[in-house]
Amino acid sequence: MGLEGEVFLVTGASRGIGRGVALALLEAGATVHVTGRTRTEAEALVHPQGSGSLEGLREEAESSPGRLSIHYCDHAVDRQTEAVIADVLDRHGKIDVLVNNAWPGYENMVESDEFTWARPFWEQPMWRWEAMIGVALRTAFVASRLAAPAMVAKRRGLVINISFWAAEFFEGNAIYGVAKAGANKLAADCAHDLRPHGVAALALYPGLVRTEAVLRAAEYLDLSNSESPRFIGRVVEGLWRDPQLMAKSGSVHVAASLAEEYGIVDIDGTRARPLVRGDFTDH
């Protein structure tokens, strides 16, 4: 049984994890709405990430059994987020699963030929705070706030915040840690308010994902325990199918651990080993 009739909204799906999640859900037959700022491949060439567009996603999804709807959206502008949610609800009357993935925090990693990511917090550019907190974390709240009433009315739904281990210990950048800790806490507190209504919220950690940016740096990385971008999408599907979903609400979950529980494998038939705290040496 596929996901026919189920409605998902994935924010930030031009590239990376968001794109992979969307493609995996489309493969399962879901109706998937996505947001992004990069419309075309021509725009992608001049984007700080250098690749990935909504146009390219549409082409890649053409053979999938699911239904894809694309929304150009700059989540830095709340009214654009509001318009997307309103359109999805107007068309379907529901959003079953919201995946909060929009993340402009990796843009402009190099400024004036300097890699500024690793600077101490007092030397961090303020645009990075605005991108990670003022856009990414704020958007997760705004989208959740707007999607929740329809979920509550149906007494069914799931909100997923894509997060990472930086929430728990230092992972190279202070603002990054604050943003991911905020994503975890937002999921936990939303789960508290949603629980009486049968709606779940949680945070989800990917592993090392073979996104476009990671593959560009492949010669410097050990990809032996990496995941395809679609892997976490398969885990999202597994969560939505889980009859014990409410028991997982309010917590942080490692995607690869859930894959073991659900018997999910990656697109090449492998399954990444779940990362643990010991895999991170700088903490």
Side-chain angles (χ1 to χ4, degrees):
M1 181 178 176
L3 293 175
E4 294 82 3
E6 307 290 80
V7 178
F8 292 73
L9 172 58
V10 184
T11 66
S14 299
R15 60 187 63 82
I17 289 174
R19 184 188 184 111
V21 169
L23 288 168
L25 296 172
L26 289 164
E27 287 174 348
T31 294
V32 182
H33 290 258
V34 301
T35 67
R37 290 176 297 157
T38 309
R39 294 183 176 92
T40 67
E41 288 300 294
E43 289 181 1
L45 291 175
V46 297
H47 186 275
Q49 292 287 353
S51 61
S53 71
L54 295 171
E55 174 187 72
L57 171 60
R58 186 187 297 279
E59 293 175 358
E60 193 171 359
E62 283 180 353
S63 61
S64 296
R67 297 170 53 197
L68 173 65
S69 293
I70 283 175
H71 304 262
Y72 171 79
C73 179
D74 182 350
H75 286 293
V77 183
D78 288 347
R79 66 176 180 273
Q80 292 190 24
T81 306
E82 293 164 2
V84 171
I85 302 284
D87 183 54
V88 177
L89 292 175
D90 184 60
R91 291 162 67 175
H92 305 287
K94 67 173 183 173
I95 296 173
D96 292 303
V97 180
L98 167 65
V99 181
N100 286 314
N101 173 74
W103 179 256
Y106 293 149
E107 297 175 7
N108 303 323
M109 300 280 275
V110 176
E111 301 174 82
S112 301
D113 296 323
E114 181 188 353
F115 183 68
T116 60
W117 174 271
R119 285 180 176 178
F121 74 87
W122 59 88
E123 295 180 5
Q124 286 294 316
M126 284 307 300
W127 74 261
R128 188 163 280 139
W129 178 276
E130 293 305 320
M132 294 184 182
I133 311 296
V135 178
L137 186 57
R138 180 187 177 93
T139 295
F141 175 76
V142 172
S144 300
R145 175 179 177 272
L146 295 168
M151 294 180 177
V152 166
K154 291 187 175 296
R155 298 193 62 82
R156 186 169 183 259
L158 171 61
V159 176
I160 297 174
N161 291 346
I162 302 298
S163 189
F164 198 60
W165 291 96
E168 302 178 34
F169 49 81
F170 186 73
E171 183 61 13
N173 183 284
I175 306 172
Y176 183 48
V178 172
K180 295 308 182 183
N184 290 4
K185 181 60 172 171
L186 178 62
D189 287 4
C190 287
H192 175 274
D193 290 348
L194 292 168
R195 184 173 296 278
H197 307 283
V199 179
L202 54 84
L204 189 59
Y205 290 179
L208 176 59
V209 182
R210 297 188 298 274
T211 62
E212 298 89 344
V214 166
L215 290 177
R216 285 196 298 272
E219 63 182 300
Y220 307 107
L221 300 169
D222 177 3
L223 300 180
S224 60
N225 190 49
S226 62
E227 306 163 0
S228 79
R230 299 192 194 201
F231 179 69
I232 197 167
R234 292 184 173 186
V235 172
V236 169
E237 177 187 355
L239 277 165
W240 184 233
R241 294 179 182 278
D242 189 344
Q244 302 301 317
L245 173 61
M246 290 305 299
K248 292 181 170 65
S249 187
S251 301
V252 174
H253 300 273
V254 176
S257 295
L258 290 175
E260 289 183 346
E261 176 182 345
Y262 297 145
I264 291 169
V265 296
D266 210 333
I267 57 175
D268 60 359
T270 64
R271 183 188 298 134
R273 175 183 60 80
L275 298 178
V276 296
R277 290 184 66 96
D279 291 309
F280 300 87
T281 57
D282 190 10
H283 63 277

